[in-house]
Amino acid sequence: MKLIIEHKAILVRDLQWKVKDLVKFAERFGKIQNYPFSKGHTENPGVLKIINNPFEKRKFSSIWHSDSTYLENPPEFTFLYAIDIPEIGGDTVISNTEMAYESLSSKFQEFLKNLEGVYVSNLNKIKRSKYFKGENKFQIFKTCHPIILLNKDSKKYSIYANREHTSHIKDLNDNKSNAVLKLLQTVVSKHEFSYRINWKPGTLVVFDNRSTQHRALVDYDTEPRTLYRITIRLNN
Ligand SMILES: [Fe+2]
């Protein structure tokens, strides 16, 4: 756990895990949180099978975000395990949002620290009903979180506002809110703060959602891409 908090993410190759192995590993860190839009895996409801089918224009998870920030208690850690991966393409880019925050001027950091954002599940009109068959597939989740988050474990601040879920900043007019969100997203997506995950079947990645953002690249057409995902709330 210390490694993940320090480095924000870890990657392990060439595992030959079954779903139960992934569940067992994730449970060592905390309580598995079910994805609200899906019933999940038949035997393990906390496991989400992410399948991006070929030829679909819009693919799941392709906009910068950290997972489920529209929930009042979003998951701290995400576990992704690769099953089927296209021969070429389908990488995930992950950004260190603590480094992104630290690159801002101290005056701007102070301004941002006082701001709260509104986080919603359907901001980019993503039709989760198309991907998943869950009881809540048409429900909209909405909550407030700071724009800049203090990770109580790393004790560092990070840019938490994200393009997929942050609709606006409270107490700023629309123009100012949009300008600040756009600027923050530009900083988060800078190459110098990011790492590109090149998936192979059997690759496991675990990341700290409080100090990272990620997006899946949509640069493949003819092959499916399948990952298992588990999100957890850390044990205190
Ligand atoms: Fe995600």
Side-chain angles (χ1 to χ4, degrees):
M1 183 143 95
K2 262 175 81 178
L3 265 183
I4 302 164
I5 289 163
E6 186 184 344
H7 297 281
K8 319 308 159 204
I10 57 159
L11 180 149
V12 185
R13 296 271 188 211
D14 300 325
L15 297 173
Q16 292 183 340
W17 278 6
K18 296 201 169 17
V19 171
K20 65 175 180 12
D21 300 313
L22 184 63
V23 170
K24 214 170 150 188
F25 183 68
E27 280 177 341
R28 291 171 59 175
F29 294 82
K31 192 177 175 341
I32 293 178
Q33 190 179 46
N34 291 0
Y35 184 58
F37 297 102
S38 170
K39 285 177 188 158
H41 188 269
T42 352
E43 287 149 43
N44 296 281
V47 179
L48 179 70
K49 195 173 187 180
I50 299 172
I51 308 175
N52 277 325
N53 288 317
F55 307 113
E56 259 174 21
K57 250 181 153 182
R58 188 74 170 271
K59 292 186 167 65
F60 184 67
S61 198
S62 59
I63 301 173
W64 281 106
H65 67 284
S66 52
D67 287 334
S68 302
T69 46
Y70 45 79
L71 297 178
E72 207 171 312
N73 295 304
E76 284 102 347
F77 280 14
T78 295
F79 299 70
L80 288 173
Y81 183 76
I83 306 294
D84 292 321
I85 297 299
E87 190 70 29
I88 296 171
D91 291 355
T92 296
V93 187
I94 184 164
S95 172
N96 181 331
T97 48
E98 287 179 4
M99 283 175 77
Y101 173 75
E102 282 157 19
S103 75
L104 304 173
S105 71
S106 51
K107 212 171 169 184
F108 192 39
Q109 287 177 343
E110 284 312 308
F111 166 72
L112 293 170
K113 271 187 197 168
N114 300 316
L115 299 176
E116 273 234 312
V118 176
Y119 294 72
V120 294
S121 58
N122 70 332
L123 182 59
N124 287 284
K125 299 193 174 32
I126 289 171
K127 293 192 171 51
R128 285 164 212 278
S129 53
K130 196 175 90 176
Y131 296 103
F132 304 110
K133 294 179 177 62
E135 286 167 17
N136 299 318
K137 64 184 180 182
F138 296 113
Q139 190 176 339
I140 295 168
F141 292 87
K142 189 174 184 179
T143 193
C144 292
H145 294 297
I147 290 299
I148 301 301
L149 190 75
L150 176 62
N151 182 327
K152 69 177 177 57
D153 292 311
S154 69
K155 312 220 174 348
K156 289 184 178 173
Y157 289 97
S158 69
I159 297 175
Y160 200 56
N162 62 85
R163 198 174 146 217
E164 183 162 3
H165 298 308
T166 313
S167 68
H168 63 280
I169 299 171
K170 284 165 80 178
D171 302 324
L172 291 188
N173 67 34
D174 283 357
N175 282 347
K176 278 189 183 158
S177 167
N178 289 340
V180 171
L181 290 176
K182 202 173 166 188
L183 193 149
L184 292 178
Q185 206 56 65
T186 306
V187 178
V188 165
S189 58
K190 280 187 173 180
H191 291 305
E192 60 254 50
F193 307 132
S194 66
Y195 174 77
R196 193 160 163 157
I197 302 163
N198 176 232
W199 297 103
K200 310 259 183 250
T203 301
L204 169 76
V205 170
V206 187
F207 51 81
D208 188 335
N209 271 303
R210 299 165 295 180
S211 302
T212 59
Q213 289 188 28
H214 59 279
R215 69 181 284 248
L217 299 182
V218 185
D219 55 358
Y220 57 98
D221 275 332
T222 56
E223 297 161 277
R225 177 181 179 275
T226 308
L227 302 166
Y228 283 132
R229 187 188 89 162
I230 291 179
T231 54
I232 62 148
R233 297 275 299 152
L234 288 179
N235 292 327
N236 286 322

